[in-house]
Amino acid sequence: MLGHERSITQIKYNREGDLLFSVAKDTVANAWYSVNGERLGTYNGHTGAVWCVDCDWDTKNVLTGSADNSCRLWDCETGKQLALLNTNSAVRTCGFDFSGNIIMFSTDKQMEILKKAKEHTKQINDIQTSVDLTMFISASKDNTAKLFDSTSLDHIKTFKTERPVNSAAISPIMDHVVMGGGQEAMEVTTTSTRIGKFEARFFHAAYEEEFGRVKGHFGPINCVAFHPDGKSYSSGGEDGYVRIHYFDPQYFDFELEA
């Protein structure tokens, strides 16, 4: 699905998984039907790159954060802007609480640190939680993704690749993680973008072993997300495309040899 003129920055499913939201550096937020990739509509108003998106529990409202120093609340169905929060710097992450009555967002200006863990040697590009919020996975420029305990910040597992990891997600039903990445855009030569060779990579969460790759994007993968039912996943790329992938039946029977 080509719904953006510039690289994708984040993709997010709603709780049921029937909708997929995508944001990009082109100022537009899109909503898609995940079952067939048809575009439901767009949320227009930002004047800079949109870095983040979230949807509330009952899919009434959508929240976006942008480099235009604003966080915006939208009516999911109509695309109407409901609220505009101006900030002092770019909004990098945003989200709803479970009730949908409270929003959160982070900007480039930091708050005071309560607890920290330093396990990566280079910049962290993405953090995503497990479905029960007990763990999270971080994706880093140091060519690894790492699994942590959410409460203690204890480092549990490491997944190693040969390229920077831009995004990583934890399956809601299997002991699997999916990772996407590649070289930075400025380092990608025209010869390396042939025939969608940029791959999403699957690792076993317990054994830290890679067991599968999915090709397709014509540039680095910037974001990955599992469908809430675990039967499909999506990826968003530097190429402006969002790709929805359904797993074959044998994927669910796959067992890694210990």
Side-chain angles (χ1 to χ4, degrees):
M1 312 176 313
L2 180 59
H4 294 277
E5 294 174 3
R6 297 192 60 198
S7 56
I8 312 293
T9 50
Q10 190 178 19
I11 53 177
K12 196 77 171 265
Y13 284 96
N14 65 341
R15 180 173 55 97
E16 292 86 1
D18 58 324
L19 296 182
L20 180 66
F21 299 91
S22 63
V23 291
K25 291 181 181 175
D26 60 7
T27 77
V28 175
N30 281 324
W32 311 86
Y33 289 110
S34 65
V35 68
N36 58 8
E38 181 187 341
R39 182 156 55 180
L40 171 64
T42 61
Y43 306 93
N44 296 304
H46 282 295
T47 57
V50 187
W51 291 118
C52 53
V53 63
D54 195 22
C55 177
D56 63 7
W57 183 260
D58 49 8
T59 319
K60 279 189 178 171
N61 299 322
V62 176
L63 185 67
T64 53
S66 169
D68 65 8
N69 296 4
S70 78
C71 204
R72 296 173 194 243
L73 187 69
W74 313 85
D75 182 287
C76 180
E77 194 174 355
T78 66
K80 181 186 175 188
Q81 184 176 300
L82 303 176
L84 167 63
L85 293 163
N86 289 307
T87 59
N88 293 324
S89 55
V91 179
R92 298 289 178 175
T93 59
C94 66
F96 288 97
D97 74 335
F98 283 118
S99 70
N101 297 325
I102 300 171
I103 65 164
M104 60 176 182
F105 61 89
S106 67
T107 65
D108 284 348
K109 299 216 171 142
Q110 293 184 344
M111 297 175 73
E112 290 180 2
I113 295 169
L114 296 176
K115 188 182 285 190
K116 67 179 180 180
K118 183 166 172 53
E119 297 288 344
H120 286 290
T121 57
K122 292 184 180 175
Q123 158 185 313
I124 294 171
N125 294 322
D126 183 32
I127 289 177
Q128 295 192 38
T129 61
S130 59
V131 69
D132 62 3
L133 306 182
T134 58
M135 296 182 294
F136 67 86
I137 191 165
S138 56
S140 172
K141 215 169 173 176
D142 67 8
N143 299 1
T144 70
K146 292 176 186 277
L147 202 60
F148 292 87
D149 179 276
S150 296
T151 308
S152 65
L153 298 190
D154 287 341
H155 172 219
I156 304 168
K157 299 287 180 182
T158 298
F159 311 98
K160 296 176 183 174
T161 71
E162 317 77 47
R163 290 181 174 173
V165 185
N166 294 335
S167 184
I170 303 167
S171 169
I173 61 167
M174 309 282 276
D175 285 332
H176 296 168
V177 300
V178 62
M179 295 153 56
Q183 304 105 310
E184 299 210 9
M186 65 185 81
E187 297 167 15
V188 177
T189 62
T190 50
T191 54
S192 70
T193 57
R194 65 186 183 278
I195 319 299
K197 72 168 195 138
F198 288 87
E199 302 159 322
R201 301 172 67 160
F202 286 81
F203 284 75
H204 195 283
Y207 303 126
E208 302 172 316
E209 294 282 330
E210 183 177 357
F211 65 85
R213 297 187 183 189
V214 178
K215 292 186 173 76
H217 284 283
F218 290 85
I221 295 172
N222 291 344
C223 39
V224 290
F226 275 101
H227 189 287
D229 67 9
K231 295 177 181 175
S232 60
Y233 81 98
S234 293
S235 54
E238 190 73 23
D239 55 9
Y241 281 85
V242 177
R243 301 175 69 91
I244 298 174
H245 309 260
Y246 283 86
F247 294 118
D248 296 327
Q250 57 262 39
Y251 165 83
F252 302 100
D253 302 324
F254 173 75
E255 286 291 332
L256 199 67
E257 308 252 329

